[in-house]
Amino acid sequence: MKFSGQTLFDNTSVEITIADDRVQSLREVTTADSEIWIAPAPIDIQVNGFAGFDLNVATVTSEDVCAMVRALWRVGTGFLCPTVVTASFEGISNSLRAIVEACKADALVAHSVLGIHLEGPYISPEDGPRGAHPLEHVRDPDWDEFQQWQDIAEGKIAIVTLAPEKKGAIQFIEKLVASGIVVALGHTNASADDIQAAIDAGAKLSTHLGNGAHALIRRHPNYIWEQLGADELWASLIVDGHHLPPSVAKSMIRAKTLDRCLLVSDAVALAGMKPGIYQFAGKSVELTEARCVRLVGTEYLAGSAIELARGIENSVRFAGISLKEAVSLATLKPMHLLDAKPQVESETNLILFEWDAAQYEINLIATIVGSELVYHTEALQ
């Protein structure tokens, strides 16, 4: 099987030869299919679940993790940070074990997992900032507890999202940074001084900036403005049209600049499911026809129901940036944040797609992960 297209970032004509579902060659050619774009496989650093598979339930297995990763390949996400959220010590331990065992069982899944994102439990207990995280398991940072989790994860925890106002958080951040872990601020009710202290301690990222927040906050100062204005902090953004209105997404991308933004899905197990009422993180949540996930009876969001490709499309639509710029926010930027270039570039990891500029739609043709063709449309046959 051979197919060709234009590379998105340098507009080079490339032909890819596939045999036995593996890349046999990738070479420059003089002409190629002008309708097909070739780009690096997107990286999603915040995935709680997908296609019915939930990383944060007591029954999660390594098989579930593998199935979730493979489902993500089918929508174009090549790499990810499986995200474990606030729970009991054993609940978090169980999720970590499932991810580690999945990586041991499937080398290609291991290739796709760039690290684990621990979101909580060291977050604000307040309604709004806490989001859908269970209040009974919210607690102060505990270095001994975290080290036990990192041992269970066999060193795979790469990102920790926490609230810097928690007791002992600044010293905890310093230890995380010294261990090579990316510290993200999120689900927080922090003051300006708390945020600056976290930055001074080495915090590098704001998790889904503008979300995990009160429905009503002081005009200024507040914890959103303080993070938005901090040049030291990158910002991950959920650009699904629900978490951030289009005008807010546009403003945040412009304020942070393309150098300090990246896209995440924050997908939960409901992503890819039919609309209805479900249980998530011990709460009743509703998946609407518009693919919005809310805590039943409230205006609070409980994760998203999109894949990363939709965030790329919406970034072009909402922020007026180019397709190349939007794809960069889901590929080059997260790779740089995680210092994951060796793993990402060790083998061929690409997506091939057509771009409908009128409809702002990515029509995925193929996903290549670890030099393997892991998804392709029937038309590619």
Side-chain angles (χ1 to χ4, degrees):
M1 181 189 301
K2 291 184 179 181
F3 48 93
S4 64
Q6 305 291 324
T7 58
L8 183 64
F9 289 140
D10 56 15
N11 204 32
T12 300
S13 296
V14 170
E15 181 184 78
I16 302 173
T17 302
I18 303 285
D20 298 323
D21 287 336
R22 285 196 62 83
V23 174
Q24 302 300 313
S25 68
L26 190 155
R27 65 187 185 94
E28 291 188 22
V29 291
T30 54
T31 59
D33 190 327
S34 61
E35 300 297 318
I36 296 178
W37 289 105
I38 301 173
I43 301 167
D44 194 341
I45 68 168
Q46 192 169 5
V47 184
N48 311 278
F50 192 75
F53 299 103
D54 193 336
L55 298 177
N56 294 283
V57 293
T59 56
V60 65
T61 66
S62 60
E63 291 80 9
D64 293 336
V65 177
C66 290
M68 185 196 79
V69 172
R70 291 182 176 276
L72 287 166
W73 293 341
R74 294 194 291 271
V75 294
T77 300
F79 295 95
L80 71 152
C81 290
T83 302
V84 178
V85 301
T86 301
S88 66
F89 175 82
E90 189 50 46
I92 290 175
S93 300
N94 184 59
S95 295
L96 296 174
R97 290 189 190 99
I99 297 166
V100 170
E101 291 305 314
C103 291
K104 291 180 178 178
D106 191 319
L108 204 54
V109 167
H111 175 70
S112 277
V113 174
L114 297 180
I116 297 170
H117 184 164
L118 182 62
E119 185 187 2
Y122 313 130
I123 59 173
S124 173
E126 292 200 20
D127 289 346
R130 192 181 72 254
H133 291 235
L135 177 60
E136 63 269 27
H137 296 308
V138 170
R139 48 199 186 269
D140 291 333
D142 184 324
W143 183 247
D144 290 338
E145 179 179 58
F146 174 78
Q147 285 184 305
Q148 291 181 68
W149 283 329
Q150 187 67 299
D151 288 342
I152 291 169
E154 299 187 5
K156 292 184 182 296
I157 298 175
I159 305 173
V160 173
T161 292
L162 52 72
E165 72 272 20
K166 301 291 286 187
K167 181 180 179 181
I170 302 306
Q171 294 78 14
F172 188 78
I173 291 170
E174 291 172 343
K175 291 179 179 179
L176 291 173
V177 172
S179 300
I181 293 169
V182 173
V183 175
L185 309 184
H187 292 282
T188 175
N189 187 34
S191 69
D193 288 343
D194 295 326
I195 292 168
Q196 187 58 55
I199 292 170
D200 293 342
K204 192 173 183 179
L205 175 70
S206 295
T207 288
H208 50 50
L209 185 60
N211 299 116
H214 296 94
L216 296 174
I217 58 176
R218 180 178 177 176
R219 180 177 50 140
H220 52 68
N222 61 57
Y223 46 79
I224 295 176
W225 279 113
E226 292 300 324
Q227 292 178 80
L228 186 63
D231 290 342
E232 300 90 341
L233 292 174
W234 294 40
S236 69
L237 305 174
I238 308 169
V239 188
D240 63 354
H242 304 298
H243 282 77
L244 301 174
S247 61
V248 175
K250 178 179 182 178
S251 298
M252 286 187 169
I253 289 172
R254 291 190 174 185
K256 276 298 180 186
T257 78
L258 296 172
D259 288 332
R260 294 192 298 275
C261 284
L262 56 92
L263 303 179
V264 295
S265 71
D266 196 23
V268 296
L270 276 60
M273 304 286 282
K274 294 180 179 179
I277 304 295
Y278 298 87
Q279 291 296 309
F280 173 66
K283 307 286 186 180
S284 292
V285 298
E286 180 182 9
L287 173 61
T288 71
E289 291 284 352
R291 295 207 291 180
C292 178
V293 185
R294 296 183 184 278
L295 293 174
V296 172
T298 79
E299 60 187 336
Y300 294 122
L301 301 172
S304 85
I306 65 164
E307 56 267 26
L308 200 54
R310 305 289 81 79
I312 294 172
E313 295 167 345
N314 287 334
S315 294
V316 177
R317 180 186 291 112
F318 298 162
I321 61 178
S322 69
L323 175 64
K324 177 179 175 180
E325 290 168 333
V327 170
S328 174
L329 300 183
T331 56
L332 303 182
K333 298 310 176 184
M335 180 179 69
H336 178 50
L337 176 76
L338 295 175
D339 195 22
K341 186 174 181 179
Q343 184 170 342
V344 171
E345 296 189 351
S346 62
E347 297 183 79
T348 304
N349 301 283
L350 301 169
I351 56 169
L352 291 87
F353 63 95
E354 294 177 332
W355 172 245
D356 185 336
Q359 299 298 319
Y360 300 98
E361 286 183 357
I362 289 173
N363 298 309
L364 185 66
I365 295 171
T367 306
I368 297 172
V369 173
S371 298
E372 290 195 23
L373 182 65
V374 295
Y375 168 79
H376 63 83
T377 62
E378 293 301 321
L380 197 57
Q381 293 278 28

